[in-house]
């Protein structure tokens, strides 16, 4: 093999080694970036219910006339997710498949209630159009005001004893799931958990 060929091979090996160092450096930077990015969670609203307090008990019939008692102890030991939605809210409509999937997959652990206010006929049409008959659907302005649903879509997660465990604006599946993550972690929201973790690292 000629000297020129050996020179080319040597240069190629140097390039390969250089690329390995570049990949390792990039992987390290991705790891650092991953640590710095805070997880996205439901946006907590200051005017909402405080996490850790007992939820106000609201007794109201659902849209079919069946009585609903929200905020009471669940005799079956399940949590309750109250999702405030509206027929005129596009983001609310995009969350309905997620809520439907969650209700079916977590039936043993969570009761899902849809809530709103306004004219009953508009909501009846909404229920029919979106096939929401499987959900208890409550129309109560008092419920929305008491539970702090000033913007939609908004959700409140109560534990089986009627204690508020998480709440906030929920625009995506990730936001909805963050409510359950917050409950499992024992924090008000995912942002609080990330802030605690950052303080511990510092």
């Amino acid at each position: 093999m000629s000297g020129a060929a050996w020179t080319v091979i040597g240069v190629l090996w140097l390039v390969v080694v250089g690329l390995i160092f570049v990949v390792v450096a990039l992987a390290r930077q991705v790891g650092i970036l991953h640590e710095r990015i805070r997880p996205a969670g439901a946006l907590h609203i200051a005017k909402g219910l405080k996490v850790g307090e007992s939820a106000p008990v609201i007794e109201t019939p659902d849209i079919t006339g069946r009585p609903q008692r929200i905020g009471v102890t669940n005799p079956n030991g399940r949590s309750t997710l109250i999702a405030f939605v509206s027929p005129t809210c596009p983001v609310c409509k995009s969350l309905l498949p997620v809520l439907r999937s969650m209700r079916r997959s977590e039936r043993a652990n969570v009761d899902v209630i849809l809530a709103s206010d306004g004219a009953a006929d508009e909501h009846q049409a909404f229920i029919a159009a979106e096939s929401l008959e499987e959900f208890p659907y409550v129309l109560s302005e008092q419920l929305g005001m008491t539970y702090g649903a000033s913007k939609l879509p908004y959700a409140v997660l109560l534990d089986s004893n009627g204690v508020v465990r998480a709440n906030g604006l929920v625009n995506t599946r990730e936001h909805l799931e963050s409510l359950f993550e917050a409950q499992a972690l024992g924090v008000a929201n995912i942002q609080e958990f990330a802030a605690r973790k950052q303080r511990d690292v510092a």
Side-chain angles (χ1 to χ4, degrees):
M1 191 178 291
S2 67
W6 282 111
T7 301
V8 170
I9 292 172
V11 170
L12 288 174
W13 271 109
L14 287 174
V15 170
V16 169
V17 171
L19 286 174
I20 289 171
F21 279 111
V22 169
V23 169
V24 170
L26 285 173
R28 184 174 180 276
Q29 289 302 315
V30 169
I32 292 171
L33 182 62
H34 179 73
E35 287 293 321
R36 289 183 181 173
I37 294 176
R38 293 186 176 186
L43 178 62
H44 182 71
I45 297 177
K47 294 182 180 178
L49 297 174
K50 292 182 179 178
V51 171
E53 70 179 6
S54 294
V57 176
I58 303 290
E59 298 188 28
T60 182
D62 65 19
I63 203 165
T64 65
R66 292 173 299 187
Q68 298 290 330
R69 300 185 71 224
I70 300 170
V72 298
T73 298
N74 189 320
N76 298 312
R78 293 192 292 266
S79 298
T80 301
L81 178 69
I82 308 151
F84 293 88
V85 297
S86 168
T88 58
C89 168
V91 180
C92 298
K93 291 180 181 178
S94 71
L95 283 179
L96 294 175
V98 180
L99 289 166
R100 190 177 289 109
S101 172
M102 186 175 291
R103 181 183 184 276
R104 292 172 181 172
S105 63
E106 297 295 329
R107 183 185 297 270
N109 304 312
V110 182
D111 291 331
V112 180
I113 298 174
L114 301 184
S116 193
D117 61 19
D121 56 348
E122 181 183 7
H123 291 277
Q124 292 281 14
F126 178 53
I127 291 168
E130 300 292 339
S131 302
L132 302 177
E133 292 83 1
E134 67 186 270
F135 294 97
Y137 196 107
V138 173
L139 291 181
S140 172
E141 185 177 352
Q142 179 192 8
L143 179 65
M145 292 176 63
T146 304
Y147 278 56
S150 57
K151 296 181 180 179
L152 301 179
Y154 186 79
V156 179
L157 179 64
L158 310 178
D159 68 14
S160 59
N161 295 314
V163 175
V164 180
R165 289 303 171 198
N167 55 17
L169 290 172
V170 287
N171 294 322
T172 64
R173 173 187 287 272
E174 184 181 27
H175 291 170
L176 272 171
E177 291 175 348
S178 76
L179 299 178
F180 295 94
E181 287 296 320
Q183 180 184 25
L185 294 168
V187 295
N189 50 59
I190 294 298
Q191 291 86 348
E192 179 185 310
F193 174 73
R196 284 186 187 179
K197 188 175 180 182
Q198 191 170 17
R199 284 197 302 270
D200 291 344
V201 171

